[in-house]
């Protein structure tokens, strides 16, 4: 699939900015992501962070995941792993990206939390149950290796099969 012509992409970014400035929370987050990536607009993590913050304040859950990434890496804001963890927890019940990242944090002992494979496996299983391909794969690894979960090759095979079919 090819990208839209450059002229059309500029027009799409202009429309996105207009929607964001009118208060559309998804558009705010998408505009932040556009600044964060630096594809259609100059890369500017501070501006991206500001748009993610506005979007999160307006209740858009994926914006919390984006904010957490900024805090975790210190991109556009001072690095603050505690705030990153708080952002992930705010939306972990509904955003599978947050479930996967919380699983990773607990598996590795990042963001100021002690390494806890059981808690990590819990979040991977939750994400898998919510339909996340990435979490399904990682839950399968937990089951196959007995890391944070009972070693169960049947559950591992089921998780890997689900991930492969996605």
């Amino acid at each position: 699939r090819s990208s839209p012509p450059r002229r059309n992409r500029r027009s799409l970014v202009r429309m996105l900015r207009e929607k964001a400035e009118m208060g559309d929370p998804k558009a705010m987050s998408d505009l932040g992501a556009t600044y964060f990536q630096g594809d259609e607009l100059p890369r500017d993590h501070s501006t991206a962070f500001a748009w993610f913050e506005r979007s999160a304040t307006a209740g858009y859950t994926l914006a919390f995941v984006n904010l957490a990434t900024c805090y975790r890496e210190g991109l556009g804001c001072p690095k603050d792993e505690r705030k990153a963890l708080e952002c992930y927890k705010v939306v972990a019940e509904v955003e599978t990206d947050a479930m996967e990242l919380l699983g990773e944090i607990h598996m590795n002992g990042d963001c100021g939390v002690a390494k806890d494979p059981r808690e990590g496996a819990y979040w991977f299983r939750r994400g898998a149950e919510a339909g996340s391909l990435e979490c399904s794969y990682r839950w399968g690894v937990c089951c196959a290796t007995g890391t944070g979960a009972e070693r169960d090759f049947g559950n591992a095979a089921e998780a890997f099969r689900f991930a492969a079919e996605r």
Side-chain angles (χ1 to χ4, degrees):
R1 186 172 153 181
S2 64
S3 297
R6 189 118 187 100
R7 183 182 72 243
N8 289 349
R9 291 189 306 223
R10 279 192 298 252
S11 173
L12 290 172
V13 170
R14 187 173 45 253
M15 289 185 336
L16 181 62
R17 180 183 306 281
E18 288 171 7
K19 287 179 75 173
E21 289 172 351
M22 289 175 24
D24 181 314
K26 182 181 182 323
M28 291 177 200
S29 185
D30 290 348
L31 185 59
T34 304
Y35 277 109
F36 191 88
Q37 295 299 323
D39 293 334
E40 300 302 322
L41 293 168
R43 178 172 285 160
D44 183 342
H45 292 132
S46 295
T47 301
F49 179 82
W51 281 110
F52 293 150
E53 204 168 39
R54 286 179 67 183
S55 179
T57 299
Y60 188 61
T61 57
L62 186 57
F64 283 95
V65 176
N66 295 332
L67 271 179
T69 299
C70 291
Y71 281 126
R72 192 172 180 189
E73 303 298 325
L75 298 171
C77 62
K79 185 173 181 169
D80 189 332
E81 292 181 332
R82 185 183 52 75
K83 282 186 180 177
L85 189 60
E86 288 171 12
C87 287
Y88 289 134
K89 286 180 176 180
V90 165
V91 294
E93 295 301 318
V94 294
E95 283 292 338
T96 58
D97 289 346
M99 293 175 196
E100 180 188 7
L101 291 164
L102 278 173
E104 179 182 297
I105 286 166
H106 287 287
M107 283 291 184
N108 298 325
D110 292 337
C111 291
V113 301
K115 189 173 183 176
D116 185 349
R118 234 183 230 305
E119 185 71 9
Y122 166 80
W123 284 109
F124 293 146
R125 181 178 53 78
R126 289 285 310 278
E129 290 169 351
S132 166
L133 169 123
E134 293 83 1
C135 286
S136 293
Y137 173 77
R138 294 180 85 168
W139 171 240
V141 171
C142 291
C143 292
T145 62
T147 304
E150 185 176 329
R151 180 177 245 162
D152 183 326
F153 294 117
N155 281 344
E158 184 180 327
F160 290 140
R161 192 172 16 264
F162 177 82
E165 290 172 355
R166 290 291 201 176

